[in-house]
Short mmCIF file of all heavy atoms in Angstrom, two decimals:
data_model
loop_
_atom_site.label_atom_id
_atom_site.label_comp_id
_atom_site.label_asym_id
_atom_site.label_seq_id
_atom_site.Cartn_x
_atom_site.Cartn_y
_atom_site.Cartn_z
N ILE A 228 -12.20 -19.03 -12.82
CA ILE A 228 -13.14 -18.43 -13.76
C ILE A 228 -14.51 -19.09 -13.61
O ILE A 228 -15.54 -18.41 -13.54
CB ILE A 228 -12.61 -18.56 -15.20
CG1 ILE A 228 -11.35 -17.72 -15.34
CG2 ILE A 228 -13.66 -18.08 -16.19
CD1 ILE A 228 -10.63 -17.90 -16.64
N ILE A 232 -17.90 -17.10 -12.50
CA ILE A 232 -19.12 -17.05 -13.33
C ILE A 232 -20.31 -17.58 -12.53
O ILE A 232 -21.39 -16.98 -12.52
CB ILE A 232 -18.93 -17.89 -14.61
CG1 ILE A 232 -17.84 -17.30 -15.49
CG2 ILE A 232 -20.24 -18.02 -15.36
CD1 ILE A 232 -18.24 -16.05 -16.22
N LEU A 282 -28.42 -10.92 -22.06
CA LEU A 282 -27.30 -10.59 -22.94
C LEU A 282 -26.02 -10.36 -22.14
O LEU A 282 -24.94 -10.81 -22.53
CB LEU A 282 -27.64 -9.34 -23.78
CG LEU A 282 -28.69 -9.57 -24.87
CD1 LEU A 282 -29.02 -8.27 -25.59
CD2 LEU A 282 -28.20 -10.62 -25.87
N ILE A 283 -26.15 -9.66 -21.01
CA ILE A 283 -24.97 -9.42 -20.17
C ILE A 283 -24.38 -10.75 -19.71
O ILE A 283 -23.18 -10.99 -19.76
CB ILE A 283 -25.34 -8.55 -18.94
CG1 ILE A 283 -25.84 -7.18 -19.41
CG2 ILE A 283 -24.13 -8.39 -18.02
CD1 ILE A 283 -26.32 -6.31 -18.26
N VAL A 284 -25.27 -11.64 -19.27
CA VAL A 284 -24.81 -12.93 -18.78
C VAL A 284 -24.12 -13.72 -19.89
O VAL A 284 -23.08 -14.34 -19.69
CB VAL A 284 -26.00 -13.73 -18.20
CG1 VAL A 284 -25.62 -15.18 -18.00
CG2 VAL A 284 -26.46 -13.11 -16.90
N MET A 285 -24.70 -13.66 -21.10
CA MET A 285 -24.10 -14.39 -22.21
C MET A 285 -22.73 -13.81 -22.55
O MET A 285 -21.79 -14.56 -22.86
CB MET A 285 -25.02 -14.37 -23.42
CG MET A 285 -26.01 -15.54 -23.36
SD MET A 285 -27.38 -15.43 -24.51
CE MET A 285 -26.56 -15.18 -26.05
N ALA A 286 -22.61 -12.49 -22.47
CA ALA A 286 -21.31 -11.87 -22.72
C ALA A 286 -20.29 -12.37 -21.69
O ALA A 286 -19.16 -12.72 -22.03
CB ALA A 286 -21.44 -10.35 -22.65
N ALA A 287 -20.74 -12.45 -20.44
CA ALA A 287 -19.84 -12.93 -19.39
C ALA A 287 -19.40 -14.36 -19.66
O ALA A 287 -18.23 -14.72 -19.50
CB ALA A 287 -20.52 -12.81 -18.02
N LEU A 288 -20.35 -15.19 -20.09
CA LEU A 288 -20.03 -16.60 -20.38
C LEU A 288 -19.05 -16.71 -21.53
O LEU A 288 -18.15 -17.55 -21.53
CB LEU A 288 -21.30 -17.38 -20.70
CG LEU A 288 -22.15 -17.75 -19.49
CD1 LEU A 288 -23.44 -18.43 -19.92
CD2 LEU A 288 -21.36 -18.68 -18.57
N LEU A 289 -19.23 -15.83 -22.53
CA LEU A 289 -18.35 -15.84 -23.68
C LEU A 289 -16.91 -15.56 -23.25
O LEU A 289 -15.97 -16.23 -23.68
CB LEU A 289 -18.82 -14.78 -24.68
CG LEU A 289 -18.64 -15.14 -26.14
CD1 LEU A 289 -19.52 -16.32 -26.51
CD2 LEU A 289 -18.94 -13.95 -27.03
N ILE A 290 -16.78 -14.56 -22.38
CA ILE A 290 -15.45 -14.23 -21.85
C ILE A 290 -14.87 -15.45 -21.14
O ILE A 290 -13.69 -15.79 -21.28
CB ILE A 290 -15.54 -13.03 -20.89
CG1 ILE A 290 -15.97 -11.78 -21.66
CG2 ILE A 290 -14.20 -12.80 -20.19
CD1 ILE A 290 -16.27 -10.60 -20.77
N TYR A 291 -15.73 -16.14 -20.39
CA TYR A 291 -15.29 -17.32 -19.66
C TYR A 291 -14.74 -18.38 -20.61
O TYR A 291 -13.64 -18.90 -20.43
CB TYR A 291 -16.45 -17.88 -18.85
CG TYR A 291 -16.26 -19.30 -18.41
CD1 TYR A 291 -15.16 -19.66 -17.62
CD2 TYR A 291 -17.14 -20.29 -18.79
CE1 TYR A 291 -14.97 -20.95 -17.22
CE2 TYR A 291 -16.96 -21.60 -18.39
CZ TYR A 291 -15.87 -21.93 -17.61
OH TYR A 291 -15.68 -23.22 -17.24
N VAL A 292 -15.52 -18.67 -21.65
CA VAL A 292 -15.10 -19.72 -22.58
C VAL A 292 -13.78 -19.34 -23.25
O VAL A 292 -12.85 -20.14 -23.35
CB VAL A 292 -16.20 -19.95 -23.64
CG1 VAL A 292 -15.70 -20.92 -24.71
CG2 VAL A 292 -17.45 -20.51 -22.98
N ARG A 293 -13.69 -18.07 -23.67
CA ARG A 293 -12.45 -17.58 -24.27
C ARG A 293 -11.27 -17.79 -23.34
O ARG A 293 -10.28 -18.39 -23.69
CB ARG A 293 -12.57 -16.08 -24.55
CG ARG A 293 -13.36 -15.73 -25.76
CD ARG A 293 -12.46 -15.67 -27.00
NE ARG A 293 -13.24 -15.60 -28.21
CZ ARG A 293 -13.87 -14.49 -28.61
NH1 ARG A 293 -13.76 -13.38 -27.91
NH2 ARG A 293 -14.58 -14.51 -29.69
N ALA A 294 -11.44 -17.29 -22.11
CA ALA A 294 -10.32 -17.29 -21.16
C ALA A 294 -9.92 -18.70 -20.77
O ALA A 294 -8.74 -18.99 -20.61
CB ALA A 294 -10.69 -16.48 -19.93
N SER A 295 -10.90 -19.60 -20.65
CA SER A 295 -10.55 -20.93 -20.15
C SER A 295 -10.00 -21.82 -21.25
O SER A 295 -9.30 -22.78 -20.97
CB SER A 295 -11.75 -21.60 -19.48
OG SER A 295 -12.79 -21.72 -20.41
N THR A 296 -10.29 -21.53 -22.51
CA THR A 296 -9.72 -22.37 -23.56
C THR A 296 -8.37 -21.86 -24.02
O THR A 296 -7.57 -22.61 -24.53
CB THR A 296 -10.65 -22.47 -24.79
OG1 THR A 296 -11.05 -21.16 -25.15
CG2 THR A 296 -11.86 -23.33 -24.50
#
Side-chain angles (χ1 to χ4, degrees):
Chain A
I228 294 172
I232 295 285
L282 289 177
I283 298 176
V284 166
M285 273 167 53
L288 283 176
L289 215 66
I290 294 172
Y291 162 59
V292 173
R293 282 270 169 76
S295 60
T296 49

